[in-house]
Amino acid sequence: MKFVFITGGVLSSLGKGITTASLGLLLKSRKLKVTLVKVDPYLNSDAGTMNPYQHGEVFVTEDGGETDLDIGHYERFLGENLPKRNNITAGQVYHEIIHKERKGDYLGATVQVVPHLTNLIKDKFKEIGKEYDLCLVEIGGTVGDIESLPFLEAARQMGLEENCFYVHVSYVPFVKSVGELKTKPTQHSVQKLREIGIQPDAIVCRSEYPLTEEARSKIALFSSVPIRAVISAYDVDNVYRIPFILASQGLDDLILEKLGIRTYLKRDMSSWEEFIKKLENPKRTKKVAIVGKYVEVRDAYKSLIEAIIHAGAHTLTKPEIDLVDSLDIEEKGAEEILKGYDVIIIAGGFGRRGIEGKIEAIRFARENKIPILGICLGMQLMTVEWARNVLGWKDAHSEEFNKDTKHPVIHLLPEQKDKPLGGTMRLGGQEIKLKKGTMIYEIYKRNSVVERHRHRYEFNNEFKKDFENSGLTISGETKGLVEVIEWSEHPFFVGVQFHPEYSSKPLKPHPIFLRLMEM
Ligand code: GLN
């Protein structure tokens, strides 16, 4: 089996995920069977219970995993869906080892991090890797963190058993006062990695500017790698260009050579190039407001932003995306905050803060006939807004925010009551039946589609007739659960209970976003 391990040094948020995803794409473009794995050293079982402020969005896989957002990058660059098992957390492996110990699997032994935990981690890598020509494993965090040690130790041991390549992603700061790129932090970080027993085969240097030859040779010398294995990954505006930056310096060739894989397989990046050409040569712009509440962190809406960008590229439209704080709408009114936008998207979310602002945004878009898409919570609030302002039920709400309303138009399904909160939402891909003659049917041009979910509350069917009689169309359903609402007297007033943004890919944009961008 062949593995590439990607570690990080000096700083977090260096773009290891994008580096891993880009390498995945480059290797896959040579017709190799490649998969990407993300290791997260935190003790949560998955990203589902974490706050977007700390961790960015929770990415949902088709098989119902609540994963790290890097899995989203991987899916977008590889252009394929990944299973949830490709996101391994410390929480999962510790849970598993303790469970095995209780079962008696280690009877007589003292259960230890080395070898028991590291063996379990290695088994997981091998289980995934055995079906592929190459398995890339990104180890989250920064070398030197306490939490990541068992994973780095497992990665080191893998080198004794399998054919492995180690990439270290590091940071080379530019110090303005001396006008120089500084290599010392990278040197120290490589030393730290060596202390753990891993000698990197390549160093990917993140920096504001391209590396100078001097910096490159210094890093090569101190890290004991050939100069061609010091890769300059300087800042670019468009992350989808990064595969080309790595390819132009031959990082993928280096990996194939070391791992003994036939390098005569040529990269075919033609469709990716075409995508980039479209992305970088738009013919018009569209102003898009994403109304949410985690607006300080762009990563909280990562997939959504990318889905808009993909659709923008394919329609030669440059989306100018603003994250709009729904609390600002509460304070200053939708008229002031949202005027001038071509498209309004009400994002998913949890909790009471900013809810009334989102409802106001919906009213504004509905009355002024501005294209609006509500996603998950956004769709639920479109239902609430309709109930309040069209049906005249002023107290209408979702049970999530008001348990005593007489009009709980969004409610908790009986099977969701009293469940623990981790991993118990309605999760992952489910088949949705679309109603012929509706806008959503016309967008997908199909009777049924599979889309990903992550929610607990649902449209309350008790009020279905009232909504339909007042002009709202229920145009998609899954076994009695409402999935899509729309209003035919509006250019685009669509709410979806699912998350279309998770399945959009650069080369296969999602039809809902395509429609929004081409309008
Ligand atoms: N909070 C809502 C629910 O649990 C919506 C969730 C979401 O937008 N992902 O149903």
Side-chain angles (χ1 to χ4, degrees), residues 347-351 358 375-380 398 400-401 410-412 425 453-458 497 499 501-502:
F350 297 81
K358 289 186 176 178
I375 297 176
C376 204
L377 176 66
M379 171 272 194
Q380 297 175 354
S398 159
E400 185 176 359
F401 313 114
I410 302 293
H411 70 155
L412 198 59
M425 280 186 263
H453 300 76
R454 180 174 184 251
H455 66 115
R456 220 167 242 120
Y457 292 83
E458 298 282 354
Q497 186 56 83
H499 290 268
E501 70 274 25
Y502 292 136

Side-chain angles (χ1 to χ4, degrees), residues 49-89:
T49 52
M50 273 185 278
N51 185 325
Y53 280 119
Q54 300 213 350
H55 206 68
E57 84 175 359
V58 175
F59 185 79
V60 179
T61 55
E62 178 118 351
D63 66 351
E66 296 176 274
T67 70
D68 185 78
L69 55 72
D70 279 324
I71 299 289
H73 293 137
Y74 300 172
E75 287 202 355
R76 288 188 282 271
F77 278 72
L78 282 183
E80 62 188 66
N81 294 343
L82 291 173
K84 60 181 169 195
R85 70 170 188 172
N86 283 32
N87 189 190
I88 301 171
T89 70

